[in-house]
Every structure is written in C-alpha cells, then in structure tokens.
Amino acid sequence: MSNPSLLILAGDGIGPEVMAEVQRIIDWYGDKRGLAFDVSEDLVGGAAYDVHGVPLHDDTMAKAQGVDAVLLGAVGGPKYDVLDFSVKPERGLLRLRKEMDLFANLRPAQCFDALADFSSLKKDIVAGLDIMIVRELTSGSYFGEPRGIFIENNERVGINTQRYTESEIDRVARAAFELARKRNKKLCSMEKANVMESGILWRDVVTEVHADYEDVELSHMYADNGAMQLVRAPKQFDVILTDNLFGDLLSDCAAMLTGSLGMLPSASLGAPMENGRPKALYEPVHGSAPDIAGQAKANPSACILSFAMALRYSFDQGAEADRLEAAVEKVLADGVRTADLMQADGGTPVSTSEMGSAIIAALDASL
Ligand code: IPM
Ligand code: MG
C-alpha cells in the first residue's frame, strides 16, 4: 500500500517557519514510528500571488483535491493589502474551503495548565478549559448570494446574504453531535433565532438531528449571549456548534480565553473520500504574523498540534496524536517558551526551531 499523502501549503509570513518544524515532526513519525507520508509542497496566499498572480493556482487546487490531507501555514500580509479583493491572499484559503467542501471546522480551545496565567481572565475561570467549537465553513454569509457592492438610488449598497439550506445545517450538526458523543456529551448550538429566519431554521434542524443523538445533551443559545457566556463561565461548554460568521467571532473569543493563540490548532473536514478518509485541511488558528516573520520567534506549536489533529481525524492514529499532544504539553510544563509565551514567566525565549527540537526530544523520551 502506498503511503498516505500530504500537501503542505506553508503560505505567508511565519507560515514557512512554523511549517519547517512540522516537517521535522513528520520525518520523526516516518523514522521512529514507521508512519511515512508522501509529502508535496505548493504555494498559497501572497506567496502564490507573487508567482502566479492568483492566491491559489488551479493546479494547486487540483493537488489539494487529490491528497489525503492538506496542511496549511498562514496567508496574508501588509504587502497584499492593496490588492483587489478577488486576489487577496484570503481568497486562496476560502477557495480551498469551498471547493473541497470542508463544511465542519473544528476549533478546540484548550487551556494548557502551564499557561493558565496567560489568559486575560482569572486563572480559575480558564484553568482546565477544554472546549471544541464546530463552525460551519462553506456557507452562510461568507458565500451567500446575492453579494456585492451595487448602486441603488444613486448611492452604494453593500450586500451579503446569510443563507443556509437544511442539508447544510444537518451535515454540520451531525459532525458536532458525533464529536460531542466522543467528549462530554454536551452540545450547545448558537444562532440568532430571535432576529433571523436562518437562525430559526438552524435551531429547528439541529433539534431534528438531535433525535439521532439522544445520548448527547443539547442546548440552544443566542449567539450574543454565547459570546457573553464564553467570557463569563467558559467551562460550562463542551462542544459549541455555530454558523460560519458567528463561528469566526466566537472562535477568536474562545481562542483568546486560553491566552495563547500560538498554541491553537484547527481542522476543516468535509465528506468522506473513496478511501474513507474525510476531505481535510489542517491549519493553526493564528495568522501570518508579519511583524515577527523571518525572525525565528514564531511558536510552531499550533501548526504542530494541527498535524496532531491530522493524525487523529485523517489517519486514525489517535494514540500517536495523544503522544504528540503530550509532548507539546511536556515541553510547556518544562518551562520552554517561545517569545509569545513570555509575558508572565520572564527568562529567555527559545527560537522556533529550538521549540521544535524540544518537542522532538519529548517525542523521543516518550518511546
Ligand atoms: C479564520 C480567518 C479567516 C475567516 C480569514 C483569514 C478569511 O479569520 O479562519 O477564522 O474569516 O474565516
Ligand atoms: Mg477568524
């Protein structure tokens, strides 16, 4: 049997630096665990624009459709702010999400014990926090039609459309219920059914799907209250299910609770392919951080933990994902810190590759 295939799209800013560390982790799994991957690389975002004039070349799109999983670094940077909307780096990422039909975006927000002091909230509110946001990623106001800037009555009107079909809600709800089932069996669905018809439909369909998952406790919350509850008492949540735009906001809020954006991974999953694996793209939650790019300061942990999610969700290697997550946690507990984790502790930060080396040493020690 051939090795599973990975396409690495390192992208812009700190993307290539953090991805270089992921590449070392991938090599470690090949050498030490007999888990070899066929890895190819290509361009996305500004890096693709610089070469091809578009943020994602059609050939790259085709490659992404053909591999078992895509690993993405980050896209964007100030250099590209002036570009036309249609070729901005973000459009490359949105095209991947849409054309691969990656409808379920899993964003865990986990507070590492060693970092509980980093949150802007009090330590006891966030210590031990472990929630999973499931954000719908291929529809809603990010993609709904009509959209555009039009002229009406001699003035410009900006239009985006919040639109969800039953089947779009149904499939992401099922993904969220499945996850809740493997966790603490609690799902909270968030919308604005008090003001939006799409929210009423969302609530109805999630309630209908619940009939197939009665072992999971379902609650509903208006998304604005959800935002408030996330900063008031985040540990009341296990899995949160929400739409594309609310999910964008709520997941940033949840991420910041943990105090360390440099630690958070994500998975974007679609329907199963012929080999049974879901279409999948894994990426850190942080952006391209142009202010520190090229200085060896970036924390590679989020990108490495995204590869751990790939092991878990694409390659059915839950035990190896646990091993990698435990290695990252061990390194933090040992006090190894990249610059983004320095506010509270003092001491000298390690570089991106020193962090990678520490994680590899912890992996070696786990054997
Ligand atoms: C995210 C980002 C993206 C989004 C941008 C980069 C298009 O904020 O993944 O949360 O809005 O979805
Ligand atoms: Mg966002």
Side-chain angles (χ1 to χ4, degrees), residues 90 93-94 97 107 135 142 248:
E90 291 78 4
L93 176 57
L94 292 167
R97 290 175 179 173
R107 300 193 162 185
R135 165 189 177 192
Y142 270 55
D248 185 41

